[in-house]
Amino acid sequence: MFQKEYETMPRRELRSLQLERLRWSVRNAYDNVESYRRHYDQAGFHPDQLKKLDDIRRVPFLTKEMMRENYPFGLFARPMEDVVRLHSSSGTTGNATVVGYTARDIEVFAEVVARCLAAYGGTKKDVLQVAYGYGLFTGGLGLHYGAEKLGAATIPIGGGNTDRQLMLIQDFGTTMLACTPSYALNIADHIAVKRPDFKLRDTNLRVGILGAEPWSEEMRLEIEERLGIEAYDIYGLSEVIGPGVSAECEKKSGLHIFEDHFYAEIIDPETGEVLPEGEKGEIVYTSLTKEACPVIRYRSRDISRLYHDDCVCGRTHVKMEKVSGRTDDMLIVRGVNVFPSQIESVLMEYEGTEPHYQIVLDRRGAMDDIEIQVEVTPAIFSDELKNLQGMASGLEERIKSTLGVSAEITLVEPRTIERSLGKAKRVIDRRQ
Ligand code: DLL
């Protein structure tokens, strides 16, 4: 463990540390950010009302909209002279969200990522290839600083250029590879099609550090098998810090949230009500130590569940289930709520499919139409037409019985769905 004293802190002690830090963090926001002050004054909330941890429920939520309205620096609690780094979300809809870090924030960011790497068995003897994008996205630099903090030899290659990735894995003796799960599959495909001579299993690569997008258990198995690695989940979001909010441990059952820095709650996304432990809903985060950009009760839109399970790894921090989707990812098709991750699970359980798919939504008259394009293995594709038709209708039936919606399945040739270097684009919505 990278910071055992925090990661295994007895719950009582942890809660009292959280309360102390919560008070500091809310004060930091209220005293130094005008938008927070106005927001709280209007709602009749004052930081002095925080007497115990549960009082956090009195604090009004922070939403993505509020972050956008304050573009670029409106939510900063420190002057620019104290800010040493800026990151930003891509901002495909509306203003981008900008986050700033003080030197101390960067230190914490590196520490939590180093904790993740240690949880996957990483040590300073490792050689870590960072294939997340560098730049405004927090993935590349986040993993980079964490790997250096751990003392690993860090390779800042960034995303893409798969042949070069393979060359470095071989020549530099890479032991851990950090990238999105969709890019990991992309690498597996590339080897299968273009470099069948390349034997990944003969290299030192043994661990994948995969995150930044939802991926199913079925996809984990596929990646582990095809790349011959252990694939671990890493989670985070720019607003809260970047990667390193939570990580799986060797048990690979849920991700420990580093609760000495991030306080998590689950709410009902419709009513905003806090749900009891174990129930599924939207995760809300509060940063407990961030100086430049405090987020207090930030509605992440990510859907998960929180629980404690006396983990064998010894960490006392709460676990979150693998994120199954986002409230704003949820597709409403003919009135039925559908998550892309549910579709993925059905597709991947079916023999002959490849883990590359796209969901295309359209409107035919007044009706929503859903088409799922999924790649099949070369062997299946060269099969007789009637077998392909049988497979498509088999999948349609399974989608219907599992999700309750009818979808049209189109089986497509291997390698026809566009590959991503970073986060995959699974849904094309043409309904507007
Ligand atoms: O994706 C940070 C990150 C970089 C995490 C590298 C892990 C590895 P954003 O671009 O702000 O930050 O996107 C955050 O991505 O709210 C989730 O919806 C999704 N996400 C991130 N990690 C996971 C994961 C980075 N492990 C948004 N599983 C989050 C599922 C994830 N979804």
Side-chain angles (χ1 to χ4, degrees), residues 132 137-139 143 210-215 233-239 242-243 300 302 323 326 423:
Y132 283 112
F137 175 52
T138 51
L143 264 296
L210 313 181
E213 63 185 7
W215 53 306
D233 201 353
I234 182 164
Y235 167 90
L237 51 167
S238 336
E239 293 85 347
S300 69
D302 285 334
V323 168
R326 296 173 53 85
K423 306 192 190 218

Side-chain angles (χ1 to χ4, degrees), residues 82-85 100-110 291-292:
D82 292 342
V83 171
V84 301
R85 169 108 59 93
Y101 304 74
T102 63
R104 172 73 198 128
D105 293 335
I106 291 290
E107 185 72 18
V108 170
F109 190 7
E291 295 177 336

